[in-house]
Amino acid sequence: MMVTTFALAGAAEAQQESSRTATSNTIGSPVAAIVSSQASPAQHGSASAIGASQQGQPMAQPAAQQPAAAAPRPVAVHKSTAIIPGWSRPLSSQALTIECQKITQTSRIAAAKECYGVMELEVMKFVAYCGGLTIKLRLDDLHYGPVDSITWGLAALRPCPALANSNSTAVQQGSSSPDRRAGAPPGNRFGGSGGSNSPGMNKAQPTTAVSVDNPSRKSLYSICTTTTVARASKGDVLSMDLSPKEDGQPVIMVTLSHNDSVLLRAALPCASIAALQMYPFITVMSGLVVSLQEALTPSPLFTWYSPTSATADIQMADLDTCVKYNTAATTNSNGVSEFHGSTTFTGGRHRWTVQLDNVGQLPGHIFVGLVSTEPSQAPSSSILASAIPTAISSRMLAQGSHAAGQPGAAGPLAAGALGTDAGPGGFTAMPAAQAAAAGPATLVTIAAPGSQRRWGVWVKLPGAPGAAVTAPHHSAVPPRFGDVQLVESVNNHCCITVDLDLVGGYAKLFRNGHLLGQAFTGLAAPISPSLAFLQGTSQHLQAGLVNITKLQQLDLEWNPEACSSDLRVNGRVITKVSEVFGDYSTVLCNYGFISGVHLWLVKVNNLSEPDSIFIGVCRGCMPLDQDPQDLRNRTYYLSNGVIRVGGRRVATNAAAFQKGDIVGVVLDADQGEIVFLRNGIEQGRARGIRGRLYPFVSFDSEQDMITLLGSYTLPLNRTPRTLADMEWDTVSRSADMELSSNCLTATKTSNASPSTVCGTILYNGLGVHEFHVILDSLGPDGIWVGVADPSMDPSKGVGDIGCGWALHSDGDKRWNGREEEFTGGFRNG
């Protein structure tokens, strides 16, 4: 509950400072009629099905091309707010091998101080601002056989005498979940010894230092720990759940489980632990390989996007969960740069926190709050949609007009507090003197008729102490749209929490855990998060979600059935051992993505030549012994630093990856966008790829070797475009329509006209549906693509009389035999 989690908010802040809808009632199927008259075999058309959507959103438009960027300006170091969970090298034992989210103990004989794996995840902040935290660790392998016992839990960097003298470790009744492994002997269940179903005791000693051989030379103090009762086996999951609770006093409930059985439940009083820096840890015994299986919080994780356009001074960070606004002293801009969250709330209760930072010398204003949305405005922004135009003039929010106090006002509006002068850009501006007189938390209520309603707070961050502030900056006052509070922060860093309850129809805002004014009332769905920056000169502001980048393990593997014979597969390790079948050798993963956001990591074990390894995505029909550079829709990161997406070169100055580097790929299949990373640093990104996309690696030289380290899905709070698997139907097709082995590509093999093939998806009833077809090769008479009744005669063309609706590759549309111009023509690809 709110009072419990915010009991930690102030301490978490001090701790951080110190450490730094269209519908249809038709029934139809996707079809492609390939028409070719007197065409040579090379001119025969082909079309590939790449997916169909059962629940639709409008297809996202490609991001605008970015003009050449101006010379970069020096800005302060970025502060990450959406942390990607991983292992801490400074706090973990030096004997452990850390590779991204995986940690390994390679030694056969290891002392206790050499076995501590500590996560780089300070939990108190996320419990306070995200309402809890769940971490699951999986035992990927036990190289030297079963391990008798593994200890895991929470550890702090300093002792906690108050916790040792309290009843914080009172054990509650445990779970009766059975051991998931078949054949577990009676009396050896994870719930405790002797067949008991009660959780075991907390084995922590919060005042006793635990020696750890780590680079930082810092000891650990166990706060809440337990040990496995039964022998751990490969595939077992050790989990940790932290959640706030009001139990007479604010406490944090910690639950430690082995597989599905609870070993420990402990209540940690907030008063005792609020100032502690606590981290998840596990003892990684000899031969043990541990990976992060899942990291989640109850708080929604979404991305920011500009609803219209943005200025050249905006940069995105942390996979678009953070927005940075940096301007030069010569910047001449007035107005507001606005962003919306990529999720729309239609009911229930939701809470999220935005961290605000001013790393410049001059004061700055940031708006955090809510904006009303239309049901049809399903956000289609991408987690990677930071290709913001760099030469677009500043644009404004809707101009506000005066109105009386709106429902949900935090207090009566003082007479005369509203100015009547139109400020820069047409905003109704409040004179500086009146704004100061109105107080630091005055609610200003201005509604813009016919525009979106907004609720929230403008926060003024003061800038560097003692910095000279010119008159224009001093008089800059944020615009008033909707129900807005004006707040001045005494520090250049603060956290604003939005607590939205659509059941009760209200929203509360908190600054560092303290309620700001009264609740906004009268709210109704649909509503989205909102963020804005007041434009000005010499601004260096940042606003980012306080959350973890949520991860759920995918377990991608290399597919031996989609692997060149010149490659040797050894688990997740691929080595090029010969060139019998050609210079280039390719391997695909066992799963392709048609929706969702996914991340996988590839380690370069050996690189024989500077340009011999390609890492990217492809369609499932990619040739296994062909040069990837010859493919039209090639998408890869080449080891010499060249990046191509959909055949287009998007980066030539990216860092070349070398032996020992880790290459990351983030694919947003919903938006057809991809980003490549080298050792965690972004190297290039672009949109424009579609279809079921498979991770692949191609090799050009013998002895090249890579390892697939891990793969994750990033669960976002947004409405995904769910594309179902669709193939061309082997039955509902003309005799001269030849299908590929995977039934994704259809090719016309004769001059007979017309010829049609139907898809395997049948659309019934109401709804919005979507499918994609790539025009691989266009004959002289082109291709019709559309929908028709499943009983359509495949010897006819789609769009003929009684044969549905169709769009032609020359841009014409046709229905029931009637044809008219519609759009521009299409080309191969």
Side-chain angles (χ1 to χ4, degrees):
M1 59 181 59
M2 184 67 66
V3 66
T4 306
T5 55
F6 282 149
L8 298 174
E13 281 307 301
Q15 190 173 298
Q16 185 179 13
E17 285 296 324
S18 65
S19 64
R20 266 324 195 224
T21 301
T23 61
S24 170
N25 57 3
T26 61
I27 300 177
S29 298
V31 294
I34 301 179
V35 184
S36 177
S37 62
Q38 305 301 322
S40 65
Q43 294 173 320
H44 293 162
S46 65
S48 302
I50 62 174
S53 173
Q54 304 274 342
Q55 314 175 11
Q57 290 183 4
M59 188 164 62
Q61 299 299 317
Q65 295 292 329
Q66 292 193 28
R73 296 185 297 272
V75 296
V77 177
H78 167 66
K79 297 180 179 180
S80 179
T81 56
I83 297 174
I84 298 179
W87 299 98
S88 172
R89 181 70 277 174
L91 297 179
S92 299
S93 299
Q94 297 185 82
L96 300 176
T97 300
I98 296 176
E99 292 177 328
C100 303
Q101 281 70 38
K102 184 175 293 186
I103 190 166
T104 306
Q105 176 63 270
T106 57
S107 176
R108 279 187 173 271
I109 301 176
K113 65 179 181 180
E114 298 175 328
C115 298
Y116 283 90
V118 183
M119 296 199 70
E120 196 169 17
L121 191 64
E122 201 287 297
V123 301
M124 295 301 293
K125 179 177 181 179
F126 301 103
V127 174
Y129 287 126
C130 301
L133 178 66
T134 298
I135 297 292
K136 292 184 179 180
L137 305 175
R138 189 179 67 181
L139 310 185
D140 285 345
D141 213 338
L142 295 92
H143 292 304
Y144 307 138
V147 176
D148 289 332
S149 64
I150 300 174
T151 300
W152 79 103
L154 289 175
L157 299 181
R158 62 183 181 84
C160 184
L163 192 61
N165 297 328
S166 69
N167 294 323
S168 61
T169 58
V171 178
Q172 300 184 6
Q173 180 61 32
S175 168
S176 58
S177 300
D179 186 345
R180 71 168 175 83
R181 299 177 308 193
N188 200 28
R189 294 183 179 274
F190 295 144
S193 61
S196 170
N197 288 326
S198 298
M201 293 297 296
N202 188 350
K203 301 179 182 297
Q205 296 179 341
T207 59
T208 303
V210 177
S211 177
V212 180
D213 183 23
N214 56 30
S216 66
R217 302 302 179 188
K218 292 183 178 179
S219 299
L220 299 179
Y221 295 85
S222 57
I223 301 300
C224 184
T225 65
T226 193
T227 301
T228 54
V229 177
R231 275 191 169 186
S233 300
K234 181 179 178 179
D236 282 1
V237 175
L238 308 180
S239 61
M240 176 188 313
D241 181 80
L242 292 84
S243 57
K245 183 180 180 181
E246 191 73 27
D247 189 16
Q249 61 173 332
V251 297
I252 302 300
M253 294 302 304
V254 181
T255 304
L256 303 179
S257 303
H258 185 171
N259 296 326
D260 296 327
S261 297
V262 176
L263 296 187
L264 172 69
R265 282 197 182 100
L268 305 180
C270 294
S272 300
I273 64 172
L276 286 180
Q277 288 179 292
M278 296 193 300
Y279 302 87
F281 81 95
I282 184 173
T283 54
V284 187
M285 312 307 290
S286 297
L288 189 60
V289 181
V290 180
S291 67
L292 176 66
Q293 185 190 45
E294 188 174 278
L296 299 173
T297 68
S299 182
L301 178 65
F302 52 86
T303 58
W304 298 109
Y305 73 100
S306 173
T308 53
S309 62
T311 68
D313 303 308
I314 294 293
Q315 297 88 36
M316 311 298 286
D318 294 342
L319 293 179
D320 297 358
T321 62
C322 180
V323 186
K324 299 189 290 183
Y325 178 58
N326 295 292
T327 63
T330 57
T331 300
N332 183 17
S333 59
N334 294 292
V336 170
S337 295
E338 184 184 16
F339 293 83
H340 292 176
S342 62
T343 186
T344 299
F345 300 115
T346 58
R349 187 170 182 178
H350 313 274
R351 187 182 58 183
W352 62 96
T353 299
V354 180
Q355 178 177 310
L356 310 181
D357 290 284
N358 184 356
V359 295
Q361 294 188 339
L362 299 179
H365 291 81
I366 305 178
F367 173 82
V368 180
L370 301 157
V371 60
S372 62
T373 56
E374 296 297 329
S376 60
Q377 292 177 334
S380 60
S381 71
S382 166
I383 190 174
L384 311 173
S386 65
I388 297 176
T390 58
I392 299 177
S393 61
S394 61
R395 84 286 178 273
M396 315 302 175
L397 297 171
Q399 180 177 349
S401 64
H402 296 297
Q406 297 291 324
L413 188 62
L418 297 179
T420 58
D421 298 330
F427 287 109
T428 306
M430 179 190 295
Q434 294 184 14
T442 300
L443 178 72
V444 180
T445 306
I446 297 293
S451 66
Q452 295 172 308
R453 288 196 63 188
R454 292 173 177 80
W455 305 262
V457 58
W458 277 104
V459 181
K460 180 179 180 181
L461 302 172
V469 180
T470 61
H473 296 97
H474 185 67
S475 61
V477 175
R480 304 183 301 279
F481 42 81
D483 300 344
V484 179
Q485 297 180 32
L486 306 177
V487 175
E488 290 194 22
S489 175
V490 296
N491 297 317
N492 285 316
H493 163 88
C494 71
C495 289
I496 302 297
T497 300
V498 181
D499 180 25
L500 172 64
D501 188 340
L502 287 174
V503 177
Y506 70 87
K508 296 179 180 179
L509 275 75
F510 300 78
R511 180 179 60 181
N512 296 341
H514 302 286
L515 181 65
L516 292 172
Q518 300 178 18
F520 299 111
T521 59
L523 280 71
I527 285 178
S528 292
S530 180
L531 181 70
F533 297 88
L534 182 63
Q535 296 176 2
T537 62
S538 299
Q539 296 288 289
H540 299 286
L541 305 173
Q542 173 181 309
L545 280 182
V546 177
N547 210 327
I548 60 174
T549 301
K550 302 179 184 181
L551 301 175
Q552 291 179 322
Q553 205 161 39
L554 264 177
D555 283 332
L556 285 179
E557 301 285 350
W558 298 116
N559 184 1
E561 302 299 323
C563 179
S564 168
S565 298
D566 286 330
L567 300 178
R568 182 175 62 205
V569 181
N570 183 12
R572 295 186 178 183
V573 180
I574 301 291
T575 308
K576 183 174 174 66
V577 295
S578 68
E579 294 186 347
V580 175
F581 295 90
D583 291 338
Y584 296 89
S585 307
T586 298
V587 60
L588 276 61
C589 276
N590 60 340
Y591 188 79
F593 304 109
I594 205 166
S595 63
V597 181
H598 312 281
L599 161 72
W600 59 96
L601 303 157
V602 176
K603 181 177 180 180
V604 182
N605 300 100
N606 191 54
L607 181 66
S608 302
E609 298 179 14
D611 58 350
S612 63
I613 293 183
F614 304 76
I615 299 174
V617 295
C618 67
R619 293 162 63 190
C621 54
M622 178 177 177
L624 300 179
D625 297 296
Q626 184 175 341
D627 185 351
Q629 298 171 102
D630 294 338
L631 303 178
R632 183 175 62 248
N633 294 314
R634 54 199 182 276
T635 298
Y636 56 72
Y637 179 9
L638 181 56
S639 52
N640 65 2
V642 172
I643 294 178
R644 288 185 178 272
V645 175
R648 296 175 291 111
R649 180 173 289 194
V650 300
T652 57
N653 57 349
F657 57 83
Q658 303 171 351
K659 179 180 178 179
D661 285 347
I662 295 175
V663 176
V665 183
V666 181
L667 173 67
D668 186 343
D670 290 327
Q671 303 299 328
E673 190 165 12
I674 194 169
V675 59
F676 293 101
L677 307 102
R678 171 182 173 267
N679 298 330
I681 305 300
E682 181 180 324
Q683 302 298 321
R685 65 166 73 191
R687 284 187 175 188
I689 52 176
R690 292 292 187 188
R692 180 169 289 280
L693 299 171
Y694 291 79
F696 84 89
V697 176
S698 288
F699 305 85
D700 182 24
S701 303
E702 288 189 58
Q703 304 308 314
D704 285 346
M705 180 189 299
I706 59 92
T707 300
L708 180 62
L709 291 180
S711 52
Y712 293 89
T713 289
L714 281 62
L716 295 181
N717 288 78
R718 69 177 184 185
T719 305
R721 190 188 68 243
T722 304
L723 294 175
D725 287 321
M726 185 184 80
E727 300 172 352
W728 295 125
D729 197 327
T730 57
V731 177
S732 299
R733 63 185 173 110
S734 302
D736 61 346
M737 295 291 282
E738 182 179 290
L739 303 183
S740 62
S741 59
N742 58 11
C743 295
L744 294 178
T745 301
T747 305
K748 182 174 173 60
T749 59
S750 75
N751 294 331
S753 178
S755 300
T756 297
V757 60
C758 294
T760 55
I761 296 294
L762 181 65
Y763 299 130
N764 291 284
L766 303 177
V768 180
H769 310 286
E770 177 182 347
F771 66 95
H772 302 152
V773 174
I774 294 179
L775 308 180
D776 292 321
S777 177
L778 292 172
D781 288 336
I783 298 177
W784 291 99
V785 179
V787 293
D789 189 278
S791 61
M792 171 187 169
D793 183 354
S795 65
K796 295 183 179 181
V798 60
D800 287 347
I801 296 176
C803 296
W805 302 259
L807 176 67
H808 194 263
S809 54
D810 65 8
D812 291 347
K813 63 179 181 179
R814 182 168 64 168
W815 171 73
N816 205 30
R818 297 194 297 270
E819 190 171 322
E820 63 182 78
E821 293 183 358
F822 178 67
T823 186
F826 298 84
R827 297 177 296 175
N828 288 348

